[in-house]
Amino acid sequence: YIYDTKGQMAEIKYIGQCHKGSGTWYGIEYVDGSLGKHNGTINNKTYFHGMDRRCDMIRGDKIRSKATMTSIPKKIINKPRRVRPDRMRHLNLNRHQRAQSD
């Protein structure tokens, strides 16, 4: 979770190229009630999935800071998360591997 330069809290849901221009873009979903511009789909291309009018694509210079665990509301932290199968390889499996060796 991050704060943008306006102080709005968001979850980063996509990092990569975007139709808006070259370089790295961050797909975010606002979690503090702020309104975004789309739901992760722009011009019929889906970059990520989010709630309607709660998402945006921003550059790294629009990220003010990383949110601390104490600043993230518990209802957001405890929210069940879906992980797409093609993203599974990005998960840190060390904890799971350690548990199996015990």
Side-chain angles (χ1 to χ4, degrees):
Y1 294 90
I2 56 101
Y3 288 103
D4 69 6
T5 54
K6 297 176 185 174
Q8 300 167 313
M9 183 182 284
E11 177 182 2
I12 295 177
K13 300 190 102 178
Y14 171 83
I15 302 172
Q17 300 296 311
C18 174
H19 75 286
K20 291 178 141 189
S22 62
T24 302
W25 288 83
Y26 295 85
I28 59 171
E29 181 175 9
Y30 292 109
V31 296
D32 64 357
S34 299
L35 286 180
K37 298 177 181 172
H38 51 77
N39 65 357
T41 300
I42 309 166
N43 296 335
N44 295 321
K45 177 168 173 50
T46 300
Y47 292 95
F48 60 94
H49 297 281
M51 292 176 50
D52 286 339
R53 306 251 327 136
R54 294 281 186 221
C55 302
D56 203 356
M57 295 292 266
I58 63 172
R59 295 258 194 198
D61 63 345
K62 298 294 183 194
I63 297 174
R64 183 180 74 193
S65 64
K66 183 177 176 181
T68 62
M69 288 302 288
T70 55
S71 68
I72 302 170
K74 288 190 188 324
K75 68 179 182 178
I76 294 172
I77 294 172
N78 296 330
K79 179 177 76 171
R81 296 178 48 85
R82 275 190 339 210
V83 178
R84 292 180 15 203
D86 62 328
R87 300 288 184 192
M88 293 295 283
R89 69 179 185 275
H90 298 291
L91 295 177
N92 181 355
L93 300 177
N94 292 335
R95 211 176 322 145
H96 177 67
Q97 292 167 343
R98 281 195 303 265
Q100 285 184 337
S101 66
D102 291 341

